[in-house]
Each structure stands twice: as C-alpha cells, then as structure tokens.
DNA sequence: CTGTTAGCGCATTCAG
DNA sequence: CTGAATGCGCTAACAG
C-alpha cells in the first residue's frame, strides 16, 4: 500500500479512502490512485484490515457433515449469499463429535469470524450457551436455545406432515396408512403430529392399526408396507417417513399387485435425488434446504450489520413436490 | 495478551513463547502463564498472528458446486485433513461461472490464504496461470496445467474403464456391449479407451456395432440398451457410462425378459447413492472422492511446509464395487 | 479534500 | 531463560 501511495504521490490514507470508497476524495486523485493500483496489481491485505477494523469479513459454518446432501445444500445457500454480500465462509465439519465441535468453534474464534452459522449442534444447552457467549453473533439451524438473543432457523416438520396428509385427503382418500419411521426421531414425531392434525381437521378418526414404525430404509419400508397392506387392505394411501421408505412401499405395492397411484397413492419425504428417478417418480415433501441456508446467513449478516430484526426465530416450511406416485 | 502477561508477571514475549511452544521457557513460568491463560479464557488472535507471521493457517477450497455429491465428498476429505493439521478452510462455489471463479480467487488472495485447492477450474490456461502466480501455492484437481510447479491430482478414468471391462472378461463374458454416454465427455472417452485396452489385452477385437453413445440419464440408458440388445442379442455384458445409464439398462433387460446378472451382467460407474438402492444393486466403479480431497490437501500442506515432494501429479485410481448386477 | 499520529495484537530480532 | 524495541499493513481519529 505504501508503494501505491508513493507511486501516486499521495499518503497511504488517501489510498485507503479510495479503496473503501470512504470520505471525500477528489475525482482526479482517485483516478490516479486507481490507475496505480491496477498497474501494480495491488491487493489490500484482509488480514491487516481485520486487525485494524476488528471485522474480518468472514463467517463460520459448522455442520455435522458436508457430504450429507442436506447440509451440502444448506452450505451452498450459505455460501451463495455470503458471496453476494462480500463475505467468505469457513467450512467446518463436526462429524457428529461434540469435542470436535468445540474444537472448531474455538478455532473459528481465533480466526475472529464476524458471525457463526451452527447447524444441528450436538452440544448441551449450558455448554452451547457459554461457547456462543464468546462469539459476536450466531444463528442456530435446527436447534433452539432459550435465553438471550440467540436466533434460530428451524424446519416445521409438523406442517410438512400435515401437508402430505391433507393432500391425500383432498384427493379423496379416506383410509390412510402411515409408515412412521423410527420412534426415536424427533422430526418423525413432529410429522406424525401433523398427520393426525390433518386427519382430525377432516373429521376422520385416528386408527392406530394403520400406523407402523419402521427402520428408515428401503427394506424397512418394504416390510412395513407389506404388513400394513396385509392387516388393512382397505388402505388406499401411504404416508411414508422418508423417500427410502416410500421406495420400499412402492416395491411392496408391486408385490401385492396394487398399482401406484391408481390403487394406492404413495408419498415420501425429503425429496432426495432418488425420488425423481424411481418409477413411478415419488410425490414427496421437500424442505427448501438451500433457501434455509440462504435465509440463515441473511439473518446473521443483518444482525452483524446492526439491522436489528426483532424476530427470534424463523421457521421454514416444507413444500409439496407433486410427481407420479400420488395426485 | 498484554493482560495475560501482566497477570502472570512476565512480558508478552514470554506469553507468546508458551503459546507457540517455541524457545525455552522455564517450567515454572510456563505453568503460571498457562494458568492465567485458562483463568482469563484468553484466545490468541489469529488475525494479529497472521499479520506478524504472514501465515494465516487457512486454505481456500474452490469448487463448482458443493451441492454436487462429488465435490461435497471432496470437500469433506479436504476439511478432514485440514482440521487434523490445524488449518481452516474457506469454501467457495463458482457455480461454473468463470467470472465468479476469478472473484473468489481474488477474495481468497485478499484473505491471504496459505494455499489453494482448485477443483475443475473453468479458466483458460493462460488466465489460470496468471491467477495462480499470485498465490503462494496451489493444487489443481481434475485439471492439468503445463508449466512451473503447479501440482495436480487427477482421476485415472482410463484405468476405471479397463477395470470394469477386465472384470467382466475374467468372469467369462466375451460379448460385451458398451453404452458410452455423451461423445463430448472427456472422462467418457478415457473410459472407452480403457475398455478397448482391456478387450485387446484379452485378445478380443473391438466390435464397433456393440458401442452406442447415449445421454447420461436413466432414459438414455434404457433406450440405448434396448437398441443394443435388439441389434446384438449375443451380448451378455453391458458396460455403462454411469450409474443412471446402468439403471436404464436394467429396465431394458427387464423389458427383454433377460435376467440380471444371470443372462446379462450390467456394470455402472460413479457409485452414486442410487446404485446400492436399485434391484439388483449395481456393480459399479467408484472414484474415492473423499480420499481424493484428503490427498490433495495433504499434498498442498506438505508443499506449504516445505516438504518438497518432487511429484508433479498424483493420479487417483477408481475402485470396483462388486454388488449384484455383475460378478 | 488530504495528511499525521497512533495503535490493532502479535512475533521477530537482538540484548541481556 | 527472559525482555525491549520494532514492524507486519491497514484504518480511526483528528488536524490541517
């Protein structure tokens, strides 16, 4: 920078002003400085600037695993708007390991990131709170934390569950089965809640015999659907925990000689790549993952830049993706 | 840091020494300093350190799109070893846009990254060379660049093509068809080369009638396989451009009433998630994507730290994944 | 509109 | 084994 200043016959302060478009600089000197910058191929040091301004133009993104398509999409959304706003993002995997999560959080602190997007933290409330206290600002994804202004962005799985069931109901189905996945899944329970809500909203009773849990795999869905159709042959619609389960259900329908969607409608959840590739293609429910990431950084950057939003929580609603396996 | 020094009754220099384990420090003072650091919850500023040492402990990872499973896996491998070595990684998407690639490369330069992993760069040779000149060190993935020491890590698709064909040959098949994908694909051409090499190594002649190009989709594979089986019914093995094409081939075999793998063996390429989920599960060829990322940063960090490796290029070889659709 | 002074928080170099 | 002086490259706060 000193070189630029000397070559342009000005002080380094003026160069700084030109670079940052701050303060008034006469058009003539600004052009002269710009020319020298170009000629010397000068790039300001973000490091030095960071030291002087205490803002680094970086955010940390902490995810369990980028190779998981869900977080990969979130990461893409995050990177996209960060780029648009002139920020760079540090990507950190925790591998579901709390110790590693603490490690990366500490290293991000040392890197002096301006903000943090923390996805599905595995840390306990108190620990998480104390770690977050050391960071300027943070937004949580898929996790809530009571207390001072830690904002969250969460997925409304109950709404998702309601969505798919309502659609089936509106298409005229009255006997619905649900392959509800592992009983331990929190989001799974939310979806069941939504399912039941939709049922009662339509004036239908819940029939426990039509609900069966299963492992969240193709085989799990296959077997569970088989049992369900045996026990309750009147069923004409199958709500599935996720797309893999739905693919299994498709296989079971084929075994039973029941056409999809004519005799049985099948609907999945997640909208993984596979969903569009099977035959018939799956109608399913997708959480807009990229948008989720995008909204999250948006919120974060707004907060960093003082545009205080008073919302403590954003909830993202899943969307129905209509394909061939159901109306 | 000054606080720590004062509290511990030493100079800041001594604090610096204990933090970095450099220079001799008496055990007693080191313990005292460590205690104060812990008590004050002190975290050294990577920014200040970076300004003083000209090393930031960061690397840039530039990919076309993290949401693409291939690059997501690479990213995971990169992050993994970077973490192990104490580095943080900046993730940047180019969205296949050369201008954006230039942008992120510039911003990474301003962030003063210690090194760069650049995947599938879309920049022309000269431009790429000039950009790379401004960076301390860089490793290219899936791209070569003649000239001074720019190292590359590339996938050996020819070997992959040879691998699958050789396996089929060794299983006793002598009449092989190949659904070779789009003629414009570079890696596709490499695989065909490998296929032909394997054929001639086994003393078999190339039969052009048994090769047909297709779009790299399920439908493309379906149609191409159909035509191939019609024209050359003697074929007992199908080598496919990728897993989607192979799934299409599976469908065509079903249409023709030919059992897989008994009457026709089918083999895919890539090992996408779908490959293990279809019936029969696909035998396929996988490039070890995470390992690719891991090896690449490894190479990069070795170079950064002066462990001069004289290899200019690492080539990663795909692996056979044996499942149900072929021996 | 422009320059000066000072310091961001640390590590390097040299003295003790 | 420890400390003092100096500078990394930039910007904030004032002065002109």
């Amino acid at each position: 920078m000193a070189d630029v200043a000397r070559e342009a016959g000005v002080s380094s302060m003026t160069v700084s002003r030109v670079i940052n478009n701050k303060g008034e600089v006469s058009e003539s000197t600004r052009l002269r400085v710009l020319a020298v910058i170009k000629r010397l191929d000068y790039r300001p040091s973000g490091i030095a600037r960071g030291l002087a301004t205490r803002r680094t133009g970086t955010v940390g993104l902490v995810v369990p695993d980028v190779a998981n398509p869900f977080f990969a999409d979130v990461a893409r959304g995050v990177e996209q708007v960060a780029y648009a706003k002139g920020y760079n993002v540090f990507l950190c995997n925790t591998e579901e390991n709390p110790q590693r999560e603490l490690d990366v959080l500490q290293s991000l602190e040392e890197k002096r990131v301006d903000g943090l997007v923390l996805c599905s933290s595995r840390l306990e409330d108190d620990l998480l709170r104390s770690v977050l206290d050391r960071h300027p600002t943070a937004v949580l994804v898929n996790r809530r934390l009571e207390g001072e202004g830690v904002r969250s962005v969460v997925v409304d799985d109950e709404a998702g569950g309601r969505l798919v069931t309502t659609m089936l109901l509106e298409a005229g189905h009255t006997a619905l089965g649900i392959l509800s996945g592992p009983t331990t899944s929190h989001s799974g329970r939310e979806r069941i809640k939504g399912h039941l809500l939709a049922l009662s909203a339509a004036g239908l009773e819940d029939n426990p015999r039509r609900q069966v849990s299963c492992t969240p795999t193709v085989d799990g869905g296959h077997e569970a659907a088989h049992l369900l159709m045996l026990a309750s042959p009147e069923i004409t619609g199958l709500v599935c925990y996720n797309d893999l389960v739905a693919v299994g259900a498709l296989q079971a329908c084929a075994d039973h000689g029941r056409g999809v969607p004519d005799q049985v409608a099948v609907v999945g959840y997640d909208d993984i790549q596979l969903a569009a590739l099977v035959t018939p293609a799956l109608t399913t429910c997708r959480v807009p993952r990229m948008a989720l990431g995008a909204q999250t950084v948006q919120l974060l950057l707004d907060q960093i830049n003082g545009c205080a939003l008073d919302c403590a929580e954003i909830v993202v609603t899943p969307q129905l993706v209509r394909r061939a396996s159901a109306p």
Side-chain angles (χ1 to χ4, degrees), chain A:
Chain A
M1 172 153 143
D3 299 348
V4 175
R6 187 171 356 90
E7 290 281 319
V10 296
S11 76
S12 62
M13 201 48 233
T14 301
V15 177
S16 170
R17 279 192 264 258
V18 171
I19 290 174
N20 299 304
N21 283 321
K22 268 171 95 175
E24 302 301 290
V25 179
S26 80
E27 198 54 20
S28 64
T29 70
R30 114 179 318 256
L31 288 177
R32 188 153 33 95
V33 170
L34 248 23
V36 175
I37 288 179
K38 197 138 298 168
R39 182 157 57 79
L40 266 46
D41 252 341
Y42 164 74
R43 294 274 182 284
S45 161
I47 296 298
R49 177 184 299 166
L51 187 58
T53 61
R54 311 166 143 285
R55 305 174 103 260
T56 54
T58 63
V59 300
L61 170 62
V62 180
V63 296
D65 176 16
V66 245
N68 176 325
F70 184 92
F71 296 113
D73 285 345
V74 171
R76 178 166 177 207
V78 167
E79 204 275 338
Q80 198 131 329
V81 350
Y83 166 78
K85 303 288 183 176
Y87 282 77
N88 283 104
V89 6
F90 278 118
L91 172 69
C92 298
N93 285 174
T94 67
E95 316 271 334
E96 311 276 1
N97 177 342
Q99 183 54 51
R100 182 154 169 178
E101 187 172 344
L102 285 172
D103 282 359
V104 303
L105 254 16
Q106 170 162 344
S107 84
L108 289 175
E109 188 186 341
E110 295 187 357
K111 289 298 191 294
R112 298 295 191 261
V113 293
D114 293 335
L116 205 57
V117 172
L118 188 48
C119 294
S120 303
S121 172
R122 292 328 194 227
L123 265 25
E124 292 178 14
D125 279 16
D126 288 342
L127 187 53
L128 181 55
R129 222 184 313 264
S130 75
V131 173
L132 256 34
D133 275 350
R134 311 182 51 89
H135 278 275
T137 64
V139 177
L140 265 29
V141 174
N142 262 347
R143 165 85 184 246
R144 270 172 255 246
L145 189 67
E146 303 299 322
E148 47 252 83
V150 187
R151 309 204 190 300
S152 295
V153 178
V154 297
V155 175
D156 190 348
D157 279 306
E158 183 186 304
R162 208 164 359 135
L163 203 57
V164 297
T165 299
T166 301
M167 179 229 20
L168 253 18
L169 260 21
E170 285 176 350
H173 296 276
T174 54
L176 301 182
I178 177 168
L179 309 177
S180 57
T183 54
T184 53
S185 161
H186 174 71
S187 69
R189 283 196 301 269
E190 293 294 306
R191 293 176 211 167
I192 294 176
K193 253 200 269 181
H195 173 72
L196 299 179
L197 245 36
L199 245 34
S200 69
L204 296 171
E205 311 192 351
D206 166 33
N207 183 340
R209 288 184 55 242
R210 294 187 188 148
Q211 174 183 333
V212 26
S213 61
C214 59
T215 59
T217 60
V218 173
D219 289 342
H222 191 151
E223 184 185 340
H226 171 68
L227 296 175
L228 200 53
M229 295 173 86
L230 237 39
S232 307
E234 77 281 8
I235 285 175
T236 63
L238 248 23
V239 173
C240 302
Y241 172 70
N242 68 15
D243 291 333
L244 296 179
V245 168
V247 170
L250 249 31
Q251 296 174 346
C253 288
D255 295 347
H256 285 248
R258 310 195 59 178
V260 176
D262 298 332
Q263 298 171 43
V264 181
V266 174
V267 40
Y269 205 98
D270 285 348
D271 194 26
I272 63 177
Q273 187 197 18
L274 177 62
L277 297 175
V278 292
T279 313
L282 282 180
T283 288
T284 187
C285 189
R286 166 177 53 200
V287 343
R289 305 177 266 207
M290 236 181 83
L292 196 166
Q295 287 201 38
T296 303
V297 244
Q298 191 60 262
L299 183 59
L300 182 69
L301 296 182
D302 285 348
Q303 201 170 336
I304 288 175
N305 298 311
C307 320
L309 305 200
D310 48 349
C311 75
E313 183 172 300
I314 289 183
V315 353
V316 173
T317 308
Q319 303 166 336
L320 206 55
V321 179
R322 292 177 193 269
R323 285 196 274 253
S325 71

